[in-house]
Amino acid sequence: MKFITEQDVRATFIQTPFKVYQLPVDTRLTPEARQFLIDRKISITDGNDKSLPKQGVIENIQKLDLELTSSLFLLSVSLAVETDPVMAEKLSKLYQRMQEAHTLQTAQDSVEEFEDMEITMFHVLLPRGKELAVLNLLQTQLSLLLADEPNDQDSKPMYSEIRRIKQELICMMKKILGGEVS
């Protein structure tokens, strides 16, 4: 039995990008090679054309990402409620939109991408640094969700709403820092 390494898969992918990796008979992928393919959402089929990663597994990962993001929203509301009740209310509404985003059925307008904000140690040491840190974590998590955006049309409305939510978080961060909100 032959093992195919990440370097083998990467070299093949660089030469000719593909969406499905056909695993030759009597070969196996190293864990790193499998992860390389999974990270790029490339289906793996064996010699019998059976797809190895189950769609349910990918859906479970997306569900866990959404649950983590929801938890981050709850944490940010709990931190903001004492120092800025208005922001806590806005975050609460964003949390509600996040909960409803995956059920969207109709296409919506495209959302202009905002540039991500970079929060440094300087920002965290400011009086409202904890809030900035949590909002930054939320914003980063939303970026990760958006990086995994599938190409199917059914998911477009949900990801469009996630982009809007991320944009509003960035506006909140700018407001805390006293900058202009565009």
Side-chain angles (χ1 to χ4, degrees), residues 19-66:
K19 291 285 184 189
V20 176
Y21 182 78
Q22 180 71 36
L23 190 62
V25 179
D26 291 331
T27 59
R28 296 190 80 165
L29 292 170
T30 63
E32 294 82 10
R34 182 174 302 281
Q35 191 62 48
F36 176 86
L37 294 170
I38 290 171
D39 289 347
R40 284 157 185 77
K41 294 183 178 32
I42 297 172
S43 299
I44 306 166
T45 59
D46 63 10
N48 300 326
D49 268 352
K50 293 180 184 170
S51 183
L52 297 180
K54 304 289 184 224
Q55 184 61 29
V57 172
I58 293 171
E59 289 170 359
N60 282 342
I61 291 171
Q62 289 173 339
K63 181 181 176 194
L64 289 173
D65 281 346
L66 287 170

Side-chain angles (χ1 to χ4, degrees), residues 4-181:
I4 298 175
T5 66
E6 178 187 1
Q7 289 175 334
D8 298 331
V9 175
R10 189 180 295 271
T12 304
F13 185 78
I14 289 172
Q15 289 175 350
T16 309
F18 48 85
K19 291 285 184 189
V20 176
Y21 182 78
Q22 180 71 36
L23 190 62
V25 179
D26 291 331
T27 59
R28 296 190 80 165
L29 292 170
T30 63
E32 294 82 10
R34 182 174 302 281
Q35 191 62 48
F36 176 86
L37 294 170
I38 290 171
D39 289 347
R40 284 157 185 77
K41 294 183 178 32
I42 297 172
S43 299
I44 306 166
T45 59
D46 63 10
N48 300 326
D49 268 352
K50 293 180 184 170
S51 183
L52 297 180
K54 304 289 184 224
Q55 184 61 29
V57 172
I58 293 171
E59 289 170 359
N60 282 342
I61 291 171
Q62 289 173 339
K63 181 181 176 194
L64 289 173
D65 281 346
L66 287 170
E67 288 174 4
L68 174 62
T69 305
S70 294
S71 297
L72 291 171
F73 269 105
L74 292 174
L75 177 61
S76 63
V77 169
S78 72
L79 284 173
V81 74
E82 291 178 23
T83 57
D84 192 343
V86 174
M87 178 185 285
E89 180 66 26
K90 286 180 183 177
L91 284 167
S92 179
K93 287 179 182 177
L94 290 177
Y95 167 77
Q96 191 67 25
R97 284 174 45 197
M98 189 71 201
Q99 293 296 309
E100 297 168 356
H102 69 280
T103 60
L104 291 175
Q105 298 297 324
T106 58
Q108 297 181 5
D109 306 332
S110 63
V111 178
E112 181 181 322
E113 272 302 309
F114 261 47
E115 185 177 315
D116 289 347
M117 285 193 61
E118 183 180 345
I119 299 298
T120 65
M121 186 59 70
F122 169 79
H123 298 105
V124 174
L125 295 175
L126 293 172
R128 295 184 66 189
K130 289 179 187 174
E131 292 169 80
L132 283 170
V134 173
L135 291 174
N136 185 55
L137 185 58
L138 256 175
Q139 187 251 154
T140 303
Q141 178 61 29
L142 290 174
S143 295
L144 290 173
L145 282 172
L146 292 169
D148 292 336
E149 181 177 357
N151 291 330
D152 63 343
Q153 290 297 324
D154 296 336
S155 299
K156 293 283 185 203
M158 179 179 92
Y159 285 92
S160 180
E161 184 66 14
I162 290 172
R163 275 195 266 315
R164 283 186 184 87
I165 292 169
K166 179 182 169 192
Q167 178 179 341
E168 288 187 41
L169 286 174
I170 291 171
C171 288
M172 287 179 186
M173 292 165 66
K174 286 181 177 180
K175 186 175 179 184
I176 288 174
L177 293 171
E180 283 188 35
V181 179

